Amino acid sequence: MTKFETRAAFSLAGIFSLRMLGLFMIYPVFTFYANRLDGSTPVTVGLALGAYGLTQAMLQIPFGMLSDRFGRKPMITIGLVIFAFGSVVAAMSGTIYGVILGRVLQGAGAVGSVILALGADLTREEVRTKTMAVIGMTIGLSFAVALVVGPLLNAVVGVSGIFWLTAVLALLGIGVLYGVTPQPTALRSHRDTGAVPALFARVLGDGQLLRLDFGIFSLHAILTASFIALPNVLHDVLGIDQAHQWMVYLPVLLASVALMVPMIIIAEAKRKMKPVFIGAIVVLGMSQVALLMWHASLVELVIVLTLFFAAFNTMEASLPSLISKVAPAEAKGTAMGVYSSSQFFGIFIGGTVGGWAYGIDGPSGVFIFSAIAALLWFAVAVTMKAPRFTQSRMLKVDVADKAEADRLTAELLGQPGVVEAVVVPEDGVAYLKIDSERADDVDLDKFSGRPVEA
């Protein structure tokens, strides 16, 4: 990556992380705060926790499309201002309904897809994967940091203070956007990162992709519901006050990452993706059953939570890789858009239904709901076909019309290791999938002079 591209990647990752950090910091402390607000019930508390997911799911694809017309930076600015305003509304609200409104507004600042599109505008195709990886890693890092920092900040400034800080972080993101992030020379549609309306029917009609969409929906429904119950279990059952709950989350998260890494290696390097995938769902479901039965001991809880987060992290890393492998070569961005919307809708359902379940039977109700969700996911995923192990690549090509594109497609498909090829004349790009074991043997220089990984 050039210095220009490195600056683009890390500045956009910074904007992403500033926004996500604010969203995640309230997870471990929100239920205690919300229970003291006027109008608070288990359902409204759960709704407030998950409400941002609904507007995020509805608006992130439209935001991306609008940025093609009105520009990336203006749309990111609008989204961050809306997000900051929602944070202020939540901070100033004395009722649960005001907080719900604030969370809805936070989700309405759905700039994730626009940040990815800007990253694609600012980088060459051959380093696009690195750019997206840098941005993507900020999500996991922000989540881990937020679970530790959230309880500590809550002890000093309270949840309303965290909402105020979230607004400040969003405004800092605008500062990074205009002070650090380069200005793109041109806006282009990127099928590898953005949604294409003409491809929605194809993506939504693909049973394999829908299984994966249901997977990310279920994963984040379970996660969000869990944080309605877990803080209360730590406080009410084990006597750990809010300010010290980070002492549980930190070692659990570190141990879970240590367990996740070999699982990802086995899945990718040993081509055992489906067995690892199904196994992680089983561990996820069994951890909910274990939480239902054994949460009165700190040692038991730490062990179960470590397994839960190890399975969660494994799925969080595996699902995007599976989408990339399964999606049609030219529809990766569209498939990722639907997948991401499914994730945020899962957050909304997890919060709302999790709150309802907590109202019926306390933490046990939440763990039963999460176990049922994992069981349904298992039933859907077990019929999934084992994925092909392919790498996505793009070629810059110069074709005048569809006839030339068809001829080039046929030539590319005749190359050893090329399992899928689509040439899009208007993009000037050939979208390929190549057998990952033969990727180094595929010589594409003669077609482009710039074979690049997407």
Side-chain angles (χ1 to χ4, degrees):
M1 294 173 67
T2 66
K3 290 183 179 179
F4 178 90
E5 290 166 330
T6 300
R7 180 158 62 99
F10 281 93
S11 65
L12 291 173
I15 296 169
F16 220 115
S17 62
L18 287 172
R19 178 172 167 272
M20 299 308 294
L21 186 63
L23 283 171
F24 287 140
M25 278 193 296
I26 71 161
Y27 267 51
V29 296
F30 182 71
T31 54
F32 299 110
Y33 170 78
N35 284 332
R36 298 193 296 266
L37 298 174
D38 291 341
S40 173
T41 68
V43 172
T44 56
V45 170
L47 179 59
L49 186 63
Y52 86 92
L54 179 61
T55 42
Q56 184 85 9
M58 294 171 59
L59 295 176
Q60 63 151 354
I61 291 177
F63 254 82
M65 293 179 176
L66 287 171
S67 75
D68 290 337
R69 180 175 180 182
F70 298 108
R72 312 292 190 214
K73 287 192 176 183
M75 291 307 300
I76 293 174
T77 303
I78 291 170
L80 290 175
V81 168
I82 294 172
F83 179 79
F85 179 65
S87 302
V88 171
V89 169
M92 297 180 66
S93 296
T95 71
I96 193 67
Y97 301 105
V99 174
I100 290 171
L101 174 60
R103 295 284 282 169
V104 166
L105 289 170
Q106 281 186 319
V111 297
S113 60
V114 189
I115 291 174
L116 296 180
L118 181 55
D121 287 335
L122 294 171
T123 55
R124 294 163 294 152
E125 288 86 353
E126 58 261 43
V127 297
R128 186 78 48 76
T129 300
K130 294 180 182 178
T131 303
M132 298 306 155
V134 169
I135 296 173
M137 283 189 296
T138 63
I139 300 175
L141 182 60
S142 297
F143 179 72
V145 171
L147 289 191
V148 175
V149 172
L152 292 172
L153 279 176
N154 179 59
V156 178
V157 299
V159 171
S160 60
I162 293 176
F163 279 128
W164 280 111
L165 177 60
T166 299
V168 172
L169 291 176
L171 297 179
L172 284 176
I174 296 175
V176 173
L177 180 67
Y178 289 97
V180 183
T181 306
Q183 181 68 29
T185 56
L187 301 181
R188 294 184 293 117
S189 177
H190 307 277
R191 291 177 183 237
D192 60 318
T193 59
V196 179
L199 296 174
F200 277 122
R202 183 176 181 187
V203 167
L204 292 172
D206 188 316
Q208 294 298 99
L209 287 174
L210 290 178
R211 285 176 171 82
L212 299 176
D213 294 335
F214 185 78
I216 195 63
F217 166 87
S218 302
L219 185 66
H220 280 267
I222 292 170
L223 178 72
T224 307
S226 296
F227 275 100
I228 295 173
L230 284 175
N232 290 310
V233 169
L234 289 171
H235 182 271
D236 298 340
V237 178
L238 298 176
I240 302 174
D241 62 71
Q242 299 174 58
H244 294 94
Q245 290 187 4
W246 68 271
M247 295 180 180
V248 176
Y249 293 126
L250 180 58
V252 162
L253 290 170
L254 291 175
S256 69
V257 171
L259 291 175
M260 173 200 73
V261 171
M263 292 298 99
I264 296 299
I265 293 173
I266 291 170
E268 294 285 356
K270 303 299 183 182
R271 296 199 169 198
K272 300 292 185 181
M273 181 66 80
K274 184 175 179 180
V276 169
F277 185 81
I278 298 299
I281 298 174
V282 171
V283 172
L284 202 71
M286 292 304 295
S287 68
Q288 297 302 306
V289 175
L291 285 170
L292 176 65
M293 299 173 63
W294 304 302
H295 58 253
S297 161
L298 180 59
V299 173
E300 292 172 351
L301 187 70
V302 166
I303 292 172
V304 174
L305 285 182
T306 299
L307 294 173
F308 169 78
F309 279 109
F312 174 84
N313 291 333
T314 299
M315 301 306 294
E316 191 81 343
S318 298
L319 279 163
S321 176
L322 282 166
I323 289 283
S324 181
K325 289 175 172 63
V326 171
E330 80 281 20
K332 179 181 173 183
T334 306
M336 286 301 299
V338 173
Y339 164 89
S340 187
S341 293
S342 301
Q343 171 185 332
F344 288 112
F345 190 56
I347 290 171
F348 170 68
I349 294 298
T352 306
V353 179
W356 168 79
Y358 189 89
I360 292 177
D361 196 20
S364 295
V366 174
F367 298 140
I368 291 171
F369 160 70
S370 297
I372 292 172
L375 179 62
L376 292 174
W377 183 8
F378 175 82
V380 169
V382 76
T383 58
M384 177 183 74
K385 296 178 182 177
R388 296 183 304 181
F389 281 78
T390 59
Q391 293 180 356
S392 296
R393 291 195 179 181
M394 292 191 299
L395 293 175
K396 284 291 187 181
V397 296
D398 184 13
V399 292
D401 52 34
K402 186 178 183 302
E404 285 189 24
D406 290 343
R407 286 194 294 271
L408 180 56
T409 298
E411 289 185 59
L412 289 168
L413 287 171
Q415 302 304 301
V418 177
V419 298
E420 191 175 342
V422 177
V423 178
V424 183
E426 58 268 30
D427 292 356
V429 175
Y431 299 91
L432 310 175
K433 285 195 173 182
I434 298 172
D435 186 326
S436 57
E437 284 192 336
R438 306 181 64 181
D440 294 337
D441 300 326
V442 181
D443 181 13
L444 300 173
D445 289 344
K446 57 187 174 183
F447 296 100
S448 166
R450 277 185 62 198
V452 296
E453 187 176 347

